[in-house]
Amino acid sequence: MSDDKFEIDIQAFAKALQSGQGLNGKDGLLTPLIKQITEAALGAEIDQHLADEPDNRKNGKSRKNIKTSSGEFELETPRDRNGSFDPQTVKKHQTRLTDEMERNVLSLFALGNSYQHIREYLLDMYGISVSNGTINAITDRLIPELRAWQERDLDPVYPVVWLDAVHYKIKENGRFVSKAIYTILALNIEGKKELLGIYLSDAEGAHYWLSVLTDLQNRGVKDICIACVDGLKGFPEAIETIYPQTEVQLCVIHQIRNSMKYVASKNQKAFMADLKCVYKAATLKAAEHELDELEIKWGQQYPLVIQSWRNKWENLSVYFKYPEQVRRAIYTTNAVEAVHRQFRKLTKTKGGFANETSLLKLLYAGMLKASEKWTHPVQNWNLTLSQLSIHFEGRLTPYLDL
């Protein structure tokens, strides 16, 4: 084995993992792996340093104990004859590795890099040659975090919750099948976005949504004021069972998109202009009048489209009862769709996933990255919250810090 490059024995690594040896702790598998990576990086550093000082040369190694979140190990740091070498990977007198160093592979993974790109990065930066199996073992560290996140306690009340789905191909019984990931995004009482859960579904319907809502209830959610959904089958019935006081607002944008699929291209511009008068109306009464006018003008050509709006009107028109500030927050599921756009950036290079776990851990890593920006309340939250407190009298005020 050379000073600047090594090959990890993945077979031995996998065998130890299969035998039940843990990843973390004193005898964990990751501790020697981190030691190897760190010492390889130090070796690359001193080689570069000596290349710039032809009259200098190596002078043995010094040893010190290093603590990491995965375990503790003895690190060997190379020395030079002139004493001018100042290592940066692990600095002098440093006895703990930074999270950045420990989670280097995980960070690359969370940004959507393929295993091949991660391997190339490690080889270019540190002269380390690792296999996909090794990277997979490292990223599997996210699984216990994911499970803890899925089971964590939630707040007792959420003013607004959005639900939407995104589909992926997952290998099952030797073939790839399409499955839906349902994302539940909320605004908490402080006005900050919070992802409550990611649920993988084989089929949707009232029974499935009942299990999801029961999970939220078991984790501490006592009340949801408004739930915004994209027309999920069976959801209004399920939420009425668990949270009977919750108002369900169907996403108007989804309804518009679905409607335009059935309108001839030559009529779409005119139809859209008339439809806009419905969903942009100032009041519920005005919206219902415009819907009548829409039916008079277009009902004979597109009866199914008009009937769809009529059938769903009770849940499509919920937002009209609120002030403009609240309307903007609830009439569309754009907030959760933005999360899904982040997910797609991570998964766009992947045609399918070997199993459900490989998909969920990548989405969880992506969620951690996305949520780093959710540190401030949404715009004008105090005004929105005061308006919601009036509409949902007694349901939010017990949880406000007044």
Side-chain angles (χ1 to χ4, degrees):
M1 182 174 65
S2 65
D3 288 338
D4 61 350
K5 185 173 179 178
F6 62 85
E7 184 74 32
I8 293 173
D9 189 348
I10 185 58
Q11 291 185 343
F13 191 97
K15 186 175 181 180
L17 191 63
Q18 291 168 359
S19 69
Q21 187 172 348
L23 291 173
N24 300 319
K26 181 180 178 181
D27 299 317
L29 291 169
L30 285 179
T31 303
L33 179 59
I34 293 172
K35 171 181 168 68
Q36 286 179 294
I37 292 174
T38 308
E39 290 180 347
L42 289 168
E45 272 198 74
I46 195 167
D47 286 346
Q48 181 61 49
H49 177 73
L50 295 178
D52 296 332
E53 294 186 5
D55 60 337
N56 198 359
R57 57 194 177 95
K58 293 180 182 179
N59 187 31
K61 296 179 180 180
S62 62
R63 293 174 174 80
K64 62 180 177 180
N65 289 329
I66 295 290
K67 294 181 179 180
T68 78
S69 60
S70 301
E72 186 174 343
F73 63 88
E74 186 179 66
L75 178 70
E76 294 185 345
T77 303
R79 296 179 303 195
D80 65 321
R81 176 75 65 177
N82 295 345
S84 57
F85 176 53
D86 185 19
Q88 298 301 306
T89 301
V90 180
K91 297 183 178 182
K92 293 179 179 179
H93 311 299
Q94 181 182 345
T95 59
R96 182 174 179 86
L97 289 186
T98 63
D99 289 341
E100 181 181 2
M101 181 64 192
E102 287 187 45
R103 299 181 68 89
N104 198 3
V105 170
L106 297 179
S107 295
L108 292 168
F109 178 70
L111 290 171
N113 287 280
S114 67
Y115 281 9
Q116 180 181 348
H117 288 154
I118 295 174
R119 286 166 45 216
E120 290 173 353
Y121 174 85
L122 293 175
L123 188 61
D124 290 343
M125 290 297 294
Y126 305 119
I128 302 168
S129 177
V130 298
S131 69
N132 286 348
T134 299
I135 297 173
N136 193 58
I138 295 172
T139 58
D140 276 351
R141 287 180 59 187
L142 291 170
I143 295 174
E145 290 184 28
L146 168 62
R147 289 172 181 164
W149 177 79
Q150 288 174 319
E151 297 171 2
R152 77 195 189 284
D153 292 336
L154 298 174
D155 293 346
V157 63
Y158 288 92
V160 182
V161 169
W162 298 275
L163 299 96
D164 196 19
V166 61
H167 293 81
Y168 294 100
K169 297 289 185 181
I170 299 176
K171 198 168 187 179
E172 191 173 84
N173 298 323
R175 63 188 184 91
F176 285 98
V177 297
S178 180
K179 293 192 177 184
I181 287 285
Y182 289 101
T183 305
I184 302 182
L185 179 70
L187 278 184
N188 61 28
I189 205 76
E190 297 176 347
K192 297 177 182 179
K193 292 179 183 178
E194 180 183 345
L195 202 57
L196 304 188
I198 299 173
Y199 297 87
L200 195 149
S201 168
D202 291 318
E204 68 177 88
H207 182 75
Y208 170 73
W209 284 112
L210 194 63
S211 67
V212 171
L213 294 165
T214 300
D215 178 67
L216 295 182
Q217 187 181 56
N218 290 338
R219 290 162 61 197
V221 181
K222 297 178 181 178
D223 193 10
I224 296 171
C225 295
I226 304 172
C228 312
V229 298
D230 66 352
L232 299 169
K233 183 180 178 182
F235 183 79
E237 296 82 2
I239 201 165
E240 187 176 357
T241 302
I242 304 295
Y243 300 107
Q245 292 182 292
T246 298
E247 293 189 342
V248 178
Q249 168 68 53
L250 293 182
C251 177
V252 174
I253 302 303
H254 276 83
Q255 178 68 13
I256 293 170
R257 290 173 187 163
N258 292 335
S259 297
M260 298 311 289
K261 293 177 184 177
Y262 301 97
V263 177
S265 57
K266 64 179 181 180
N267 294 327
Q268 285 187 357
K269 186 175 181 180
F271 186 91
M272 190 64 202
D274 293 334
L275 184 58
K276 190 174 182 179
C277 295
V278 177
Y279 68 86
K280 287 290 188 180
T283 65
L284 176 61
K285 186 175 180 180
E288 291 175 341
H289 171 74
E290 294 296 340
L291 185 57
D292 291 339
E293 292 295 313
L294 186 74
E295 184 170 12
I296 292 171
K297 184 174 179 179
W298 299 100
Q300 287 190 338
Q301 284 181 275
Y302 306 113
L304 293 178
V305 174
I306 303 299
Q307 192 59 45
S308 176
W309 281 81
R310 295 286 190 194
N311 292 341
K312 300 175 181 178
W313 187 247
E314 182 180 356
N315 292 123
L316 281 170
S317 61
V318 168
Y319 70 103
F320 283 111
K321 69 173 68 175
Y322 299 108
E324 181 63 26
Q325 196 67 37
V326 179
R327 288 189 191 189
R328 286 200 298 268
I330 70 172
Y331 90 104
T332 172
T333 55
N334 279 348
V336 69
E337 288 186 54
V339 176
H340 285 169
R341 284 194 291 273
Q342 293 295 319
F343 287 171
R344 290 188 182 97
K345 287 180 181 179
L346 298 179
T347 60
K348 64 182 179 181
T349 60
K350 299 172 177 60
F353 291 85
N355 51 55
E356 294 179 359
T357 300
S358 63
L359 169 61
L360 288 172
K361 72 180 180 182
L362 177 57
L363 297 184
Y364 173 68
M367 182 277 299
L368 292 176
K369 282 290 181 183
S371 61
E372 289 176 357
K373 301 178 182 179
W374 300 344
T375 56
H376 300 290
V378 296
Q379 190 175 13
N380 298 320
W381 174 245
N382 288 336
L383 176 59
T384 302
L385 183 60
S386 64
Q387 293 170 342
L388 288 171
S389 297
I390 294 171
H391 281 276
F392 297 97
E393 186 177 359
R395 291 167 62 181
L396 293 173
T397 50
Y399 306 101
L400 298 178
D401 186 16
L402 299 175

